[in-house]
Amino acid sequence: DVKVTQSSRYLVKRTGEKVFLECVQDMDHENMFWYRQDPGLGLRLIYFSYDVKMKEKGDIPEGYSVSREKKERFSLILESASTNQTSMYLCASSVMSNSPLHFGNGTRLTVT
Amino acid sequence: QKEVEQDPGPLSVPEGAIVSLNCTYSNSAFQYFMWYRQYSRKGPELLMYTYSSGNKEDGRFTAQVDKSSKYISLFIRDSQPSDSATYLCLLQGAQKLVFGQGTRLTINP
């Protein structure tokens, strides 16, 4: 079974802090994704990566950056956290294009 | 118009009922279709994956795809309280990947 692990289930950070969300997958998948999920807005793609050191902007990249230095690890960075970034963050991976995504259990981030 | 439309519900049915969840889409480039189940405070879990028109069955779940009508469905037979969750469709094709909004389902004992 594919395992996608997000380092924290719950995080509370202050406005202006730099926040790192970590995601690791154990199946040598090429593609990795970061989504945020908010009530009434569904899943929105922040960034994705098709290979090591490659990144592509999704639908809502503003205020975020990513890093993929190793194939198994994809990090989401909030450069200066703001209250409107309070959300559920979901990491996913897939073996190739058009393959199913496999999700982690999410990180519930609260910015106060 | 959204590329993928999914009724957000909520949908509430009695235990044992047959449940039908649906997504419609407008872009014929979508060729790969997935259904996910998401329990509260958890990540989405893959239920069904299909890429051809017709039906695919797995236990109590059946995924149906009608590419000519641009319509996909997930049927749940003999529904159980443990099926209470949000169900999301995911459509992929031609470098696009689009989720439906999700349907919140409650099965009442």
Side-chain angles (χ1 to χ4, degrees):
Chain A
D1 269 0
V2 177
K3 192 166 174 71
V4 179
T5 303
Q6 294 185 233
S7 54
S8 305
R9 291 299 307 277
Y10 300 95
L11 272 180
V12 180
K13 296 292 182 181
R14 292 187 180 273
T15 301
E17 279 193 80
K18 191 168 186 176
V19 181
F20 294 86
L21 302 183
E22 306 287 345
C23 176
V24 177
Q25 48 95 2
D26 68 353
M27 285 298 292
D28 202 36
H29 282 179
E30 298 292 328
N31 307 322
M32 296 189 76
F33 306 82
W34 275 106
Y35 285 89
R36 64 178 283 178
Q37 187 175 34
D38 302 286
L41 296 177
L43 283 157
R44 292 183 290 168
L45 181 63
I46 304 170
Y47 268 97
F48 61 99
S49 169
Y50 286 140
D51 201 352
V52 175
K53 297 194 187 295
M54 281 190 57
K55 58 186 178 185
E56 298 284 344
K57 291 179 180 179
D59 300 317
I60 53 162
E62 296 78 19
Y64 303 94
S65 62
V66 290
S67 172
R68 194 169 180 198
E69 296 296 318
K70 293 184 177 181
K71 192 174 186 180
E72 68 270 18
R73 186 179 296 269
F74 193 35
S75 303
L76 179 70
I77 303 152
L78 285 66
E79 297 291 343
S80 177
S82 64
T83 54
N84 63 12
Q85 292 178 311
T86 291
S87 187
M88 171 72 134
Y89 289 88
L90 289 161
C91 175
S93 71
S94 69
V95 63
M96 64 178 77
S97 295
N98 300 318
S99 297
L101 272 61
H102 298 270
F103 284 87
N105 269 327
T107 296
R108 167 67 65 182
L109 173 67
T110 301
V111 182
T112 62
Chain B
Q1 184 187 3
K2 291 181 182 175
E3 284 191 284
V4 177
E5 298 275 2
Q6 183 178 7
D7 187 339
L11 182 61
S12 181
V13 301
E15 184 175 353
I18 296 174
V19 176
S20 172
L21 304 165
N22 310 297
C23 288
T24 58
Y25 62 98
S26 54
N27 192 339
S28 57
F30 291 129
Q31 296 293 320
Y32 303 88
F33 310 95
M34 283 137 273
W35 284 98
Y36 288 81
R37 176 177 62 196
Q38 186 177 20
Y39 291 118
S40 182
R41 299 187 188 88
K42 298 276 190 170
E45 168 195 9
L46 179 68
L47 282 177
M48 302 288 282
Y49 170 58
T50 184
Y51 45 83
S52 53
S53 283
N55 293 349
K56 179 178 181 180
E57 194 172 313
D58 184 1
R60 295 185 296 110
F61 298 92
T62 299
Q64 185 178 81
V65 174
D66 183 346
K67 290 186 181 180
S68 60
S69 301
K70 298 189 180 65
Y71 189 91
I72 66 171
S73 298
L74 178 71
F75 297 98
I76 307 174
R77 289 185 300 281
D78 188 24
S79 55
Q80 305 294 312
S82 59
D83 295 325
S84 298
T86 295
Y87 290 80
L88 299 132
C89 61
L90 169 60
L91 285 69
Q92 296 196 59
Q95 306 298 322
K96 281 180 171 280
L97 191 160
V98 182
F99 280 93
Q101 285 279 78
T103 300
R104 185 183 295 180
L105 172 67
T106 301
I107 309 297
N108 301 303

